[in-house]
Amino acid sequence: MLPATGNLFAALPAAGAAEEEFATLLTLPGVRVERIVSRGHSTPGSEWYDQAWDEWVLVFAGEAAILIHGEAEPRRLGRGDWLFLPRHVRHRVTYTAPDTPTVWLAVHAGEDAS
Amino acid sequence: MLPATGNLFAALPAAGAAEEEFATLLTLPGVRVERIVSRGHSTPGSEWYDQAWDEWVLVFAGEAAILIHGEAEPRRLGRGDWLFLPRHVRHRVTYTAPDTPTVWLAVHAGEDAS
């Protein structure tokens, strides 16, 4: 395998994109590293993410808020903030900055075993 | 497990630190997420890192250069640049910015099986 390289800000989706963009940067057995770009997106309606694997997210740029099921207030995340979401901790994204891209790094662990 | 949280810029080591700082942010089976802070540090002497596991690094702030064994020139890494270092790809850090902290995120995969 060669030493692959890239930049987290490369080819950001255009403003006004209807959907969040998910791009896998690296896949290894048991681990997947992903870039997510949001522009004012949030989890639709009253949906909750309920994942069978662990996820670690980091906000590289922008702003976001994640509500964890059972907590009173969303957790606000800015540049450098990270949050570990153990499997089956239900959560939803309640906010991302509307006027600037929020660039996330997500590390998914154990996804392929789920 | 609770949803742990933190910030990548929290408690940066003071300027003039003699050594790079390595701090584990998360450990899961097969995966470890680590923050590394460098201030002008580089891999000592003629040493090479030769790891039995895969490593993915991202420069969150600052500047660095990594020489991969067999390549003519170091790869320069700035904000947002990432590099995947497959196991046993020998490499050394030849440069990090002397006047500002270089904050790395490293994802180690398969380390505990090695």
Side-chain angles (χ1 to χ4, degrees):
Chain A
M1 233 181 323
L2 288 172
T5 194
N7 186 284
L8 213 62
F9 293 104
L12 287 181
E19 306 284 344
E20 287 183 300
E21 191 211 60
F22 299 84
T24 293
L25 304 179
L26 176 72
T27 304
L28 294 172
V31 190
R32 187 167 64 90
V33 178
E34 183 181 50
R35 181 184 79 171
I36 305 168
V37 183
S38 316
R39 287 179 184 269
H41 303 96
S42 56
T43 309
S46 54
E47 288 177 32
W48 294 89
Y49 290 114
D50 181 356
Q51 298 172 171
W53 62 90
D54 299 318
E55 182 175 1
W56 185 91
V57 293
L58 169 73
V59 171
F60 198 87
E63 286 187 358
I66 291 183
L67 180 63
I68 290 167
H69 193 266
E71 296 192 348
E73 295 290 333
R75 297 181 184 223
R76 313 249 352 162
L77 303 175
R79 171 168 158 73
D81 285 329
W82 58 264
L83 179 63
F84 175 53
L85 296 159
R87 59 193 65 195
H88 295 305
V89 166
R90 279 182 288 171
H91 60 279
R92 52 196 317 274
V93 177
T94 57
Y95 170 84
T96 57
D99 48 356
T100 184
T102 296
V103 180
W104 310 73
L105 188 76
V107 178
H108 302 275
E111 188 179 34
D112 41 4
S114 64
Chain B
M1 236 180 323
L2 287 172
T5 193
N7 186 283
L8 213 61
F9 293 105
L12 287 181
E19 305 284 344
E20 287 182 299
E21 191 211 61
F22 299 85
T24 294
L25 304 179
L26 176 72
T27 305
L28 295 171
V31 190
R32 188 168 63 90
V33 179
E34 182 181 51
R35 181 184 79 171
I36 305 168
V37 183
S38 316
R39 287 179 185 268
H41 302 97
S42 57
T43 309
S46 55
E47 288 177 30
W48 294 89
Y49 289 112
D50 181 356
Q51 297 172 172
W53 62 91
D54 298 320
E55 181 175 1
W56 185 90
V57 293
L58 169 73
V59 171
F60 197 88
E63 285 187 359
I66 291 183
L67 180 63
I68 291 167
H69 193 265
E71 297 192 349
E73 295 290 334
R75 297 181 183 222
R76 311 244 0 155
L77 303 174
R79 170 169 157 73
D81 285 329
W82 58 263
L83 179 63
F84 175 54
L85 295 159
R87 59 192 67 194
H88 295 306
V89 166
R90 279 182 288 169
H91 60 280
R92 52 198 315 275
V93 177
T94 57
Y95 170 83
T96 56
D99 48 356
T100 184
T102 295
V103 180
W104 310 73
L105 188 76
V107 179
H108 303 274
E111 188 178 33
D112 41 5
S114 64

